[in-house]
C-alpha cells in the first residue's frame, strides 16, 4: 500500500470526523493508550510447561491440530515477539501459572514461587510488556470436578495454597514492573448432572475465597471470573455469574467478564455500566462464542464493538482491563493472536470515533429517529482510514499486509517445529 495514500485518506477522514465534532488526532492518542492483555495460552493450546502430561479437563478444550505450536518457553516468547511486531500500541502479557520457567523441574502447584517467573519478568521488561497472571486449577491430578469448592479439606487446602501463592507471585510481578499485575481467578468447579448440594459448594467456595484473599496486597489486583458451564460440567457451575457478582460487590473485587460465558443472546456490553457502579474495576476476556463457549478468535463483530462503545461512553477506559481469551488450534496461532488484537483495537477505535456529543443531544431531546440515523451513518464513516494511519504511525503492517508477514514467519519458523 502506498503510504501517501494512507496519509491522504487520513487527512480527509480527519476532516469528515471534524464535521461531526470528533477530533481524530485526539482519538489516535487515546487508542495508543488502550492496551490489550495478550493471553499466553493461544500460543500452545493451553498446555503450559509443567510436564505433567496432558491432563485435559477443567471444562475447556482447544480443538484442531494446526502445525507449529510453541513447545517451550523460548518458542512462546519468540511467537509473542512476532505478534508484537504486527500490532501497534503498548500491551500486556497474561500468564497462567502453568507457564512458569520450571527449567525441567517438577514443581507442583502448591509449591509454585515467584522465582519461576523472574525470567518472564525480565523478558517482559525488555519487550516493554507488563504482566498479568492467572492461577491454574485445571489439568492436574487434584483437579477433578471440584477444587476450591471441594468438601474434602485436603484437596481444597491444596488449591487454596496454590491460589495464595499465585497472588504472591502477582504481587512480585506488580512490584517489579511498577504497575499492578491483574490476577484472574477462574476455577472450573461444577457437576455434569443434576446437583443437589448447590448451596453447600457455593458456601465452601465463599469460605475458600475469603481464606485466599485474607492477605492484602498493593501491587496486584484480584479478579474473579464466572462461567455458565464447562464441558463435562454442564448442569452446575459453582462459580456462576450471580455468585461472583455477589462476591465482587460484597468484597470489592474485580469481576471478569468473559464474553463466552453467558447465554448467547445476553448483552455483555450492557453489564458494563452496571458493574462500574458497584465494583471497583472490570476485567474483560474478549472471546467469540460460536453456539457455545467455543473460544473462537475475537473478530470485529457487533458484540465487541458494542462492548467497546459502552466502555468509552461510560468514560471508563481507565477502569476496564481488556484481556483476550480464546484458543484456536485449527489455524496459524500467530495469525490468531494478530487478528484478535487488531480487531479489539479496531472496536475501541470505532468507539472512540463515535459522535457521542450529538447522539446524546438527540437522546436528551427525545429525537430518536435522529439518534438511530446517526448511529447507522456512523458505522460507515471512514474509521478505517484512521485505523490505517494508526498502523502507519506505529510502523506495523497496514491492512491485510500482515498476512504475508505471518506466512513468512510460518515458512521460516513455525513450520519447522
Ligand atoms: C475458561 C475461562 C478461563 C480460561 C483461561 C485459560 O472458560 O475462560 O479464563 O480460558 O483461564
Ligand atoms: Zn476467560
Amino acid at each position: 500500500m502506498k503510504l501517501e495514500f494512507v496519509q491522504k485518506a487520513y487527512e480527509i477522514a480527519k476532516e469528515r470526523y471534524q464535521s461531526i465534532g470528533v477530533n481524530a488526532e485526539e482519538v489516535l492518542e487515546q487508542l495508543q493508550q488502550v492496551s490489550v492483555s495478550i493471553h499466553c495460552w493461544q500460543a500452545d493450546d493451553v498446555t503450559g510447561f509443567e510436564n505433567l502430561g496432558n491432563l485435559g479437563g477443567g471444562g475447556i478444550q482447544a480443538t484442531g491440530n494446526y502445525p507449529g505450536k510453541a513447545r517451550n518457553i523460548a518458542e512462546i516468547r519468540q511467537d509473542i515477539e512476532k505478534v508484537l511486531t504486527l500490532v501497534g500500541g503498548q500491551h500486556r502479557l497474561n500468564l497462567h501459572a502453568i507457564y512458569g520457567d520450571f527449567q525441567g523441574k517438577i514443581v507442583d502447584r502448591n509449591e509454585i514461587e515467584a522465582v519461576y517467573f523472574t525470567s518472564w519478568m525480565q523478558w517482559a521488561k525488555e519487550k516493554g510488556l507488563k504482566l498479568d497472571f492467572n492461577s491454574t486449577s485445571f489439568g492436574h491430578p487434584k483437579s477433578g470436578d471440584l477444587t476450591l469448592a471441594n468438601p474434602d479439606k485436603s484437596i481444597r487446602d491444596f488449591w487454596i495454597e496454590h491460589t495464595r501463592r499465585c497472588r504472591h507471585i502477582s504481587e512480585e510481578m506488580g512490584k517489579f514492573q511498577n504497575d499492578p499485575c491483574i490476577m484472574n481467578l477462574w476455577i472450573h468447579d461444577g457437576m455434569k448432572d443434576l446437583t443437589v448440594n448447590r448451596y453447600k459448594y457455593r458456601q465452601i467456595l465463599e469460605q475458600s475465597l475469603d481464606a485466599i484473599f485474607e492477605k492484602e496486597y498493593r501491587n496486584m489486583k484480584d479478579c474473579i471470573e464466572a462461567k455458565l458451564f464447562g464441558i463435562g460440567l454442564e448442569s452446575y457451575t459453582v462459580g456462576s455469574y450471580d455468585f461472583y457478582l455477589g462476591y465482587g460487590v460484597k468484597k470489592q473485587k474485580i469481576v471478569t467478564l468473559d464474553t463466552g460465558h453467558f447465554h448467547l443472546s445476553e448483552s455483555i456490553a450492557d453489564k458494563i455500566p452496571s458493574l462500574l457502579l458497584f465494583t471497583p474495576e472490570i476485567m474483560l476476556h474478549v472471546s467469540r462464542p460460536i453456539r457455545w463457549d467455543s473460544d473462537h478468535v475475537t473478530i470485529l463483530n457487533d458484540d465487541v464493538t458494542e462492548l467497546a462503545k459502552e466502555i468509552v461512553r461510560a468514560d471508563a477506559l481507565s477502569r476496564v482491563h481488556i484481556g483476550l481469551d480464546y484458543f484456536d488450534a485449527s489455524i496459524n496461532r500467530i495469525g490468531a493472536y494478530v487478528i484478535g488484537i487488531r480487531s479489539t483495537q479496531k472496536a475501541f477505535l470505532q468507539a472512540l470515533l463515535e459522535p457521542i456529543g450529538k447522539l446524546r443531544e438527540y437522546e436528551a431531546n427525545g429525537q430518536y429517529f435522529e439518534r438511530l440515523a446517526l448511529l447507522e451513518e456512523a458505522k460507515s464513516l471512514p474509521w478505517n482510514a484512521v485505523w490505517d494511519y494508526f498502523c502507519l504511525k506505529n510502523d506495523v503492517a497496514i491492512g491485510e499486509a500482515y498476512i504475508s508477514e505471518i506466512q513468512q514467519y510460518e515458512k521460516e519458523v513455525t513450520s519447522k517445529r
Side-chain angles (χ1 to χ4, degrees):
M1 175 139 11
K2 282 226 173 110
L3 300 187
E4 60 194 90
F5 291 170
V6 174
Q7 179 85 39
K8 258 192 217 159
Y10 170 66
E11 294 302 334
I12 296 166
K14 198 168 89 177
E15 277 183 39
R16 179 70 179 93
Y17 277 109
Q18 195 73 58
S19 75
I20 52 160
V22 175
N23 185 330
E25 301 260 308
E26 273 173 26
V27 165
L28 281 171
E29 275 163 37
Q30 286 172 295
L31 187 63
Q32 202 69 44
Q33 306 307 316
V34 172
S35 51
V36 175
S37 188
I38 303 168
H39 55 313
C40 73
W41 51 93
Q42 163 65 49
D44 74 338
D45 317 336
V46 212
T47 311
F49 311 129
E50 269 181 332
N51 309 311
L52 289 174
N54 189 355
L55 290 150
I60 53 174
Q61 169 123 56
T63 55
N65 54 0
Y66 197 83
K69 86 172 195 179
R71 295 163 299 181
N72 51 51
I73 213 161
E75 290 180 352
I76 289 208
R77 287 180 189 161
Q78 189 184 17
D79 289 354
I80 300 288
E81 284 170 25
K82 183 68 202 174
V83 168
L84 293 177
T85 66
L86 298 168
V87 297
Q90 294 280 306
H91 301 290
R92 308 176 68 90
L93 180 68
N94 197 7
L95 286 177
H96 239 282
I98 49 174
Y99 287 80
D101 189 355
F102 303 119
Q103 310 267 341
K105 222 168 106 183
I106 304 229
V107 180
D108 208 348
R109 306 257 172 107
N110 62 343
E111 295 167 344
I112 189 168
E113 286 177 55
V115 287
Y116 301 115
F117 294 88
T118 38
S119 75
W120 273 117
M121 294 186 225
Q122 272 147 7
W123 171 83
K125 192 176 177 184
E126 278 162 34
K127 303 296 158 199
L129 287 166
K130 301 273 191 287
L131 295 176
D132 291 323
F133 201 57
N134 299 258
S135 50
T136 318
S137 58
F138 53 84
H140 183 278
K142 289 196 168 69
S143 293
D145 290 348
L146 297 169
T147 62
L148 290 176
N150 204 311
D152 180 333
K153 189 173 181 307
S154 69
I155 298 203
R156 193 165 75 234
D157 285 348
F158 176 89
W159 292 112
I160 290 175
E161 179 63 20
H162 168 70
T163 320
R164 278 184 172 156
R165 283 170 178 254
C166 286
R167 291 185 77 230
H168 172 75
I169 294 167
S170 304
E171 173 71 7
E172 293 301 310
M173 286 178 172
K175 252 190 241 165
F176 183 84
Q177 65 197 16
N178 200 18
D179 187 74
C181 168
I182 313 297
M183 186 190 134
N184 189 52
L185 188 162
W186 169 74
I187 57 167
H188 56 273
D189 294 34
M191 297 239 161
K192 181 183 174 80
D193 219 331
L194 304 181
T195 308
V196 296
N197 279 320
R198 289 174 177 251
Y199 180 81
K200 179 177 161 186
Y201 306 124
R202 291 200 172 123
Q203 196 174 36
I204 296 174
L205 178 55
E206 184 190 12
Q207 286 160 5
S208 294
L209 293 177
D210 287 349
I212 288 165
F213 296 139
E214 238 163 41
K215 189 156 181 179
E216 300 238 350
Y217 288 114
R218 303 179 59 168
N219 299 288
M220 61 86 64
K221 294 179 182 178
D222 295 297
C223 46
I224 46 183
E225 180 182 7
K227 178 153 170 156
L228 190 57
F229 76 95
I231 305 173
L233 303 164
E234 290 85 356
S235 293
Y236 171 65
T237 302
V238 187
S240 61
Y241 184 58
D242 310 68
F243 176 89
Y244 283 124
L245 181 60
Y247 194 90
V249 171
K250 189 170 167 190
K251 298 287 165 68
Q252 286 302 292
K253 293 290 178 191
I254 301 174
V255 173
T256 301
L257 298 176
D258 183 310
T259 59
H261 290 189
F262 297 87
H263 293 279
L264 286 184
S265 63
E266 205 169 337
S267 163
I268 318 305
D270 191 39
K271 297 181 188 303
I272 300 289
S274 296
L275 278 184
L276 284 172
L277 286 170
F278 303 112
T279 56
E281 293 170 27
I282 296 173
M283 176 76 209
L284 296 177
H285 277 187
V286 188
S287 183
R288 178 166 51 113
I290 301 287
R291 305 191 189 281
W292 65 288
D293 179 23
S294 62
D295 288 293
H296 277 65
V297 177
T298 301
I299 57 170
L300 183 63
N301 59 16
D302 286 354
D303 295 341
V304 181
T305 50
E306 283 309 309
L307 187 62
K309 281 179 190 165
E310 279 309 320
I311 294 163
V312 171
R313 289 169 184 166
D315 194 18
L317 275 170
S318 62
R319 289 179 63 200
V320 180
H321 307 276
I322 307 152
L324 298 179
D325 184 11
Y326 51 79
F327 24 96
D328 188 339
S330 74
I331 59 171
N332 181 301
R333 294 173 183 79
I334 288 88
Y337 271 127
V338 176
I339 292 171
I341 299 165
R342 288 174 71 118
S343 299
T344 304
Q345 289 180 305
K346 285 178 188 169
F348 279 91
L349 174 63
Q350 288 195 4
L352 289 163
L353 286 169
E354 189 171 62
I356 192 65
K358 195 73 198 168
L359 286 165
R360 287 199 166 128
E361 193 185 308
Y362 285 148
E363 184 165 298
N365 293 338
Q367 294 171 285
Y368 300 145
F369 144 68
E370 291 84 346
R371 178 184 63 185
L372 186 60
L374 185 54
L375 279 169
E376 276 303 281
E377 286 306 312
K379 288 179 183 169
S380 48
L381 285 171
W383 65 271
N384 114 292
V386 184
W387 168 251
D388 284 348
Y389 187 69
F390 174 79
C391 294
L392 176 74
K393 257 186 44 179
N394 280 275
D395 198 19
V396 297
I398 295 166
E400 72 283 7
Y402 70 85
I403 297 174
S404 56
E405 290 201 36
I406 290 172
Q407 285 172 333
Q408 188 69 17
Y409 184 74
E410 172 163 55
K411 204 169 137 208
E412 287 165 8
V413 182
T414 49
S415 68
K416 294 186 179 148
R417 286 179 183 162

